[in-house]
């Protein structure tokens, strides 16, 4: 099938099945272009809850679809590729959290939304990179916080809030490649550019980066907002390269330079246009959260959403 035929078939199936396609900014550009809604993880969770659809095809990774299934249990949530994992979500297990909670009954577990439903079922409150600072600032000042699973985002939160937290030893293997040296090298090449950095990056709590007036730390939606609102013409983008598609589309007069072409999430690229079509056609692969944990796993998401 040609690309045009695939797009037409997808549109027909969306109408026939009252289905929508939600896509993350890291997904393939041609999938971003057919998505009914494009967003970062917080925006996509919100959309999953409010969309009036019977079927959601989630062109992202598994934990995002699982979150959508928790928020919208009456909708059929599909992932185009079963192998769409996440190095953060796959690196933390429920047992570790249960053990930590047992050892620290007075502790508050804050989980980044990049976690499995099982981990969420042991969590007190979730956050995404877009609301992490306000969620942690909103906890009682004397709360003993364990932040799971991203040590880079956790260190960034500590640097900005002045709060001490215990950090789980996890990271995103994609963003963890973004080092201070890499950023400095690109800044030397493009001295007029603003540098927009995702806080999952290895350099996100390095004072050398945080104190540099050209460097900004943002979630994906924050990166997009800054690029659109800034009068600057050149930006170094220190996050997953898929984000450049939307940046370029929204800002044709501006230049966006990836901090490195190597910052690619292979899991996000598994949802090809063809896989989205097949997911809609065959209503596969459905993501369901086991009933024994779904109620408990939804609680920290609901708490986050109500903030
Ligand atoms: P956002 O919260 O910015 O969407 O990031 C999600 C993610 O997986 C980053 O790697
Ligand atoms: Fe997970 Fe990193 Fe991929 Fe985001 S970029 S989905 S955190 S592996």
């Amino acid at each position: 099938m040609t690309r045009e035929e695939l797009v037409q078939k997808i549109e027909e199936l969306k109408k026939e099945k009252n289905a929508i396609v939600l896509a993350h900014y890291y997904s393939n550009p041609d999938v971003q272009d057919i998505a009914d809604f494009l967003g970062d993880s917080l925006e996509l969770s919100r959309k999953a809850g409010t969309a009036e659809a019977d079927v959601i095809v989630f062109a992202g990774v598994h934990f995002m679809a699982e979150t959508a299934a928790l928020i919208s249990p009456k909708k059929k949530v599909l992932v185009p590729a079963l192998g769409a994992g996440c190095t953060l979500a796959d690196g933390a297990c429920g047992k570790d959290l249960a053990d930590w909670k047992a050892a620290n009954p007075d502790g508050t577990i804050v989980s980044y939304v990049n976690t499995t439903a099982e981990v969420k079922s042991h969590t007190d409150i979730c956050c995404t990179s877009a609301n992490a600072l306000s969620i942690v600032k909103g906890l009682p000042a004397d709360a003993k916080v364990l932040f799971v699973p991203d040590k880079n985002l956790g260190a960034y939160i500590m640097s900005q809030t002045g709060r001490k937290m215990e950090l789980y030893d996890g990271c995103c293997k994609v963003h963890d490649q973004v080092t201070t040296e890499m950023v400095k090298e690109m800044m030397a090449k493009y001295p007029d550019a603003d540098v927009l950095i995702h806080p999952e990056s290895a350099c996100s709590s390095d004072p050398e980066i945080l104190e540099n007036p050209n460097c900004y730390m943002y979630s994906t939606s924050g990166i997009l907002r800054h690029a659109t609102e800034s009068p600057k013409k050149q930006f170094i983008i220190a996050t997953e390269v898929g984000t450049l598609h939307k940046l370029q589309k929204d800002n044709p007069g501006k230049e966006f330079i990836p901090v490195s072409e190597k910052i690619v999430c292979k899991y996000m690229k598994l949802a090809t246009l063809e896989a989205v079509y097949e997911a809609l056609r065959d209503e596969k692969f459905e993501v369901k959260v086991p009933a024994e944990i779904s109620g408990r796993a939804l609680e920290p998401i609901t708490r986050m959403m109500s903030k």
Side-chain angles (χ1 to χ4, degrees), residues 24-26 39-44 61 63-64 86-88 112-114 127-131 150 153 172 174-175 198-200 218-223 239-240 243 265 268:
H24 192 271
Y25 293 117
Y26 299 171
D40 69 2
S41 51
L42 181 60
E43 295 165 336
L44 289 169
V61 290
F63 79 81
M64 295 179 177
C86 163
T87 54
L88 267 173
Y112 193 26
V113 77
N114 297 38
C127 71
T128 76
S129 57
N131 61 16
D150 188 4
L153 176 62
C172 160
V174 179
H175 288 85
H198 197 284
E200 284 173 19
Y218 290 124
S219 69
T220 319
S221 52
I223 290 176
T239 190
E240 213 279 343
T243 314
C265 178
M268 284 281 184

Side-chain angles (χ1 to χ4, degrees), residues 15 17 62 67 85 102 118 135 140 234 239 241 262 275-276 287:
K15 279 203 193 86
K17 302 191 179 206
H62 193 270
T67 306
E118 195 207 359
I135 294 282
Q234 199 177 53
T239 190
V241 294
K262 285 196 287 195
V276 169
V287 175

Side-chain angles (χ1 to χ4, degrees), residues 85-98:
C86 163
T87 54
L88 267 173
D90 299 342
C93 68
K95 186 181 176 310
D96 288 357
L97 268 77

